[in-house]
Amino acid sequence: MKPPPFEYHAPRDLDEALRTLAEVGGKVLAGGQSLIPMLNMRLAAPEHLVDINRVQGLAAMETTRDGVRVGATVRHSQAERAGAHPLLSRALRLVAHPVIRNRGTVVGSLVHADPAAELPAVLAVLGGSVRVARLRGQVRDVGAEEFFVGPMESAVQPGELAVSAFFPALGPRTGAAFEEVARRHGDYALAGVCAVVTLDEDGWVEAARLACIGVGHVPIVVDVTESPADAARIVRDRVEPEGDIHASAAYRRHLAGVLAERAVRNATREAQDRGA
C-alpha cells in the first residue's frame, strides 16, 4: 500500500522546524517505524510531513548524576549501546527487533504513546518528563503522569515538537526490573511490568513503584511501598485490561499480577546487590 499524498518538509535547524510546525502543522517524522506503516495503511493522512532528522542538536544524549536526557532523534539502538541508564537499556532490548531499533527513536516512542509499548512505562515509573518546544522559544517540561493522555495520544499540542526526554537516575540501594510476556520476542507484550525498588540502610523496602503496560489506556503506575509482598493482588485490582484476539481481559489481568510479583522480586534482588 502507498501513503496518501503529503507535502514533505526537511528543516535544517530547530527554529525552522518549529516555524514549519506552527505554519502548517502536520506529522513529525523522526524514526518513522510507527508513522510510516500508519501512512501506508491509510490510518493517518497528514497533509504535511515534517522530517526532523536533519535538525542539529536533536541526536545528543546527556548523562549527569541526576539522570539521562535523550534527544528527539536518538535511535533506540544508540541509547541501548550507550548503557547510560540500566532500566532504559533493559527495556530497549525488549523493543521490537534490531532493524526496528536501528531507526526507531526513544522520544518518538514516547510521543506515539502506545499503551503496550515499553518506553512509556519506563518514563512513568521513574517519574521522568518530556521537553516540548514551540515557536518563539516557548519550552515546557511535561511530567510522565500528564504526558500520556490516552491510547496513541500524548500531551504534545499542534505546533509543538518533543525535543527530548529525561529519565531520572536510579538512586543508591535501588534496583530495577522489566518483565513482560509476548507471543514472540519483538511482538507487543500481552502484558508487562517494570519495577523500581529502593531499600533503606537496614535492607527494608523504602519505596517500590511499578508501571504496567498492555493492561490500560496508558501506563498504569502502582505504588506498592506499603505492601510489596502483595504486589500481585494490588496490580490486579488496579489494571483495566481489554480482551482481543490474542488474550482475554482475565488472562491479561492474571498475567499482570504474576509479572508484578516477579518484577518486584528481581528489582529487590538487584537493589540488594547494589547496596552490598
Side-chain angles (χ1 to χ4, degrees):
M1 298 180 68
K2 301 296 182 183
F6 57 81
E7 186 173 345
Y8 177 77
H9 306 266
R12 296 281 179 171
D13 58 50
L14 184 57
D15 284 344
E16 184 184 355
L18 295 175
R19 185 166 57 253
T20 302
L21 287 170
E23 291 174 355
V24 304
K27 285 285 190 179
V28 173
L29 173 64
Q33 299 307 292
S34 297
L35 178 58
I36 298 302
M38 291 178 68
L39 291 175
N40 288 340
M41 291 186 287
R42 304 294 177 106
L43 296 175
E47 294 182 0
H48 298 268
L49 198 64
V50 183
D51 185 345
I52 63 170
N53 283 281
R54 296 172 180 82
V55 175
Q56 297 295 315
L58 296 184
M61 288 185 63
E62 179 185 0
T63 304
T64 67
R65 62 185 301 174
D66 295 326
V68 181
R69 182 165 296 280
V70 181
T73 57
V74 172
R75 311 296 172 186
H76 292 140
S77 57
Q78 178 186 347
E80 180 185 353
R81 287 194 303 270
H85 195 293
L87 181 56
L88 178 60
S89 298
R90 194 167 294 156
L92 284 166
R93 288 193 287 271
L94 298 172
V95 174
H97 304 281
V99 67
I100 300 296
R101 296 198 294 270
N102 285 340
R103 288 299 303 169
T105 63
V106 172
V107 175
S109 293
L110 298 175
V111 175
H112 188 55
D114 191 313
E118 291 84 2
L119 299 190
V122 173
L123 193 79
V125 77
L126 292 172
S129 61
V130 177
R131 180 162 293 172
V132 179
R134 66 166 55 242
L135 197 59
R136 300 183 182 87
Q138 300 179 52
V139 177
R140 61 191 180 104
D141 289 325
V142 185
E145 68 279 4
E146 298 176 353
F147 186 76
F148 303 108
V149 178
M152 311 294 191
E153 185 180 4
S154 75
V156 178
Q157 299 297 314
E160 292 185 327
L161 175 65
V163 295
S164 66
F166 181 72
F167 296 87
L170 299 177
R173 302 185 304 277
T174 299
F178 204 124
E179 304 293 333
E180 70 174 33
V181 170
R183 298 180 69 207
R184 298 172 300 180
H185 178 73
D187 284 1
Y188 279 113
L190 298 177
V193 178
C194 61
V196 175
V197 175
T198 301
L199 305 179
D200 63 20
E201 293 183 353
D202 296 321
W204 296 98
V205 173
E206 184 174 271
R209 278 167 54 93
L210 310 176
C212 309
I213 63 172
V215 287
H217 293 163
V218 297
I220 297 178
V221 177
V222 183
D223 193 317
V224 296
T225 302
E226 297 302 319
S227 186
D230 205 18
R233 181 192 61 79
I234 296 172
V235 164
R236 289 189 184 115
D237 288 344
R238 284 287 308 278
V239 298
E240 302 173 347
E242 295 181 357
D244 57 25
I245 62 172
H246 302 298
S248 67
Y251 178 71
R252 290 180 192 271
R253 187 184 302 276
H254 169 76
L255 194 56
V258 172
L259 295 173
E261 181 179 347
R262 187 181 303 169
V264 168
R265 181 172 63 247
N266 290 339
T268 302
R269 185 178 298 123
E270 183 174 280
Q272 292 169 340
D273 292 343
R274 295 187 67 185

